[in-house]
Amino acid sequence: DAKTTQPPSMDCAEGRAANLPCNHSTISGNEYVYWYRQIHSQGPQYIIHGLKNNETNEMASLIITEDRKSSTLILPHATLRDTAVYYCIVRVAGGSQGNLIFGKGTKLSVKP
Amino acid sequence: EAGVVQSPRYKIIEKKQPVAFWCNPISGHNTLYWYLQNLGQGPELLIRYENEEAVDDSQLPKDRFSAERLKGVDSTLKIQPAELGDSAVYLCASSRRVDTEAFFGQGTRLTVV
C-alpha cells in the first residue's frame, strides 16, 4: 500500500505557483520522497526526489518538513502543460525494497 | 538517448486469447519494471527485474501472467488466456539501479472484448 496521502485534486491559475502537498507521517529514516507526474495518455515522468534537505531542479522544488512527515512540491510558474496527475512516493533507498509504489495522486488542473 | 520503448501501443483481443507486450529499456539500465494501470488509478507493480533475475514478482498473477527478460535487456510480458478484467494500460519502466529514478515508456493499452 502507498505510504502517502495527497488531495485528490487541485486547481492552479496559469503563471502562478502550484503547491502540491503530501503527507507521509510513517516515513522511515532511510526512505526518500519521490515525485512523479503523469500527463494524460503518457507514462509517468520523474520530477524530483529528496531525503532531508530541500531540493530544486529545472522542473520543480521539493520542500520537506524538518520532521519529514510531509512535503510540498512547488511548480514555480505553472503552465497549461503542467496539467497532470502528480504522485508522491516514499521509497527505500537501495536494496530489494526499492519498488515505486504509486497511490492515486493529485490531479492538478492549470487554468488560463 | 532513446527512452523506454514499448510495443504495441494499442492492442485489442478477444477474451481467452493470448497477448504479449514488449519492452526495450534504456541502454545500461539494469532494473526493469512492469506495471499495470487501470483507469483512474495509479500504476500497480507487477514485477521487477534486476538484470535477468525477477527479484520481486509477488504481485504478478502467475496463473495467467508470465514475464521474461532474456540477457537482461529486453523484456516480454505475456497474458494467457486474457480475461475482460485485464483491460488496462501496461507500463514498462527502467532505471540504472533500483535506487535511482525510473523512466517509463508510453505503455500498451490493452482492450479485451
Side-chain angles (χ1 to χ4, degrees), chain B residues 15 82-87 112-113:
Chain B
K15 62 182 180 181
E83 299 179 351
L84 295 177
D86 296 331
S87 295
V112 182
V113 297

Side-chain angles (χ1 to χ4, degrees), chain A residues 91 94-96 98-99, chain B residues 31 33 48 50 95-100:
Chain A
R91 183 190 194 191
S96 62
N99 291 330
Chain B
T31 304
Y33 306 82
R48 185 181 106 223
E50 296 296 335
S95 61
R96 195 167 297 279
R97 301 187 313 270
V98 67
D99 58 347
T100 58

Side-chain angles (χ1 to χ4, degrees), chain A residues 36 38 41 91 96 99-100, chain B residues 33 35 37 48 56 98 102:
Chain A
Y36 281 76
Q38 188 171 24
S41 296
R91 183 190 194 191
S96 62
N99 291 330
L100 283 170
Chain B
Y33 306 82
Y35 284 85
Q37 186 170 27
R48 185 181 106 223
D56 186 350
V98 67

